[in-house]
Amino acid sequence: QDAVATLSNVSLTDNVVANPIGVPGAGLVFNAFVPAAGSVTLRAANVTAASIAAFSATFRLTGLGYT
């Protein structure tokens, strides 16, 4: 499951750090990436057989720019 956020200062070569504020559901693995300048995708993978609400937590996204 994906969630998309606008982060105006990120570019394609940047890294993104995604930190949940609070505790996300057990059994979820998250990954964040920049698919296009100014946009961040947060992807959640459920590694269990149970149904889990992936984005019930709020996330802080930080873009790390490199030159």
Side-chain angles (χ1 to χ4, degrees):
Q1 183 176 11
D2 288 354
V4 177
T6 299
L7 196 59
S8 60
N9 61 338
V10 296
S11 63
L12 286 172
T13 59
D14 291 350
N15 289 334
V16 179
V17 177
N19 293 94
I21 299 171
V23 180
L28 292 171
V29 177
F30 294 94
N31 137 330
F33 58 93
V34 180
S39 180
V40 173
T41 297
L42 180 61
R43 181 164 289 161
N46 180 352
V47 296
T48 72
S51 176
I52 302 173
F55 295 108
S56 58
T58 299
F59 283 79
R60 178 178 292 122
L61 300 173
T62 305
L64 303 172
Y66 294 94
T67 56

